[in-house]
Amino acid sequence: MDNFGGIIQRAVYLGVGLASYAGEKANQKLAELRAETQKLADEMVKRGEMTTEEGRRFVEDMMSKAMQQAPVDSSPETRANEPRRIEILSEDDNSSDSNSTEVDEMRQEVHKLQEELRRLQKD
């Protein structure tokens, strides 16, 4: 049961790491979008197709639209009402009989906890 705390800790660290990575990638993509939009606006100002003020508003409008749009994901996992399942693997895991017995015990314990949670939710 001591290993269960380690698994939970890894799951939390994985979640925090993924959230951090996603935030960094989003910021990077927004910066790239801003740069491309600014280039387009500068080119249109240079050609005389819009004023500097219109170019600034154009860039700001495009950035606000980009931040408001949610990413389109049509995978079945994201549409399901249930949370996505995460499997945690570690490098020190091996397939010995003692570990498989321990894993089976942990699975039974998790199953018992899930049943208890369902029972409590019904009450």
Side-chain angles (χ1 to χ4, degrees), residues 82 85 106-122:
E82 294 183 17
R85 295 182 187 262
M106 290 174 62
R107 283 188 179 140
Q108 290 173 354
E109 183 68 25
V110 168
H111 183 67
K112 288 177 188 175
L113 291 171
Q114 287 174 337
E115 291 299 321
E116 180 70 16
L117 178 62
R118 286 186 192 110
R119 187 184 64 74
L120 290 172
Q121 286 176 340
K122 288 181 182 177

Side-chain angles (χ1 to χ4, degrees), residues 68-101:
Q68 289 174 356
Q69 285 182 339
V72 176
D73 192 342
S74 60
S75 65
E77 293 85 11
T78 57
R79 287 183 275 146
N81 291 333
E82 294 183 17
R84 184 173 45 94
R85 295 182 187 262
I86 298 175
E87 182 179 354
I88 301 172
L89 303 174
S90 68
E91 295 175 8
D92 60 327
D93 286 345
N94 54 27
S95 60
S96 69
D97 290 336
S98 64
N99 281 348
S100 65
T101 304

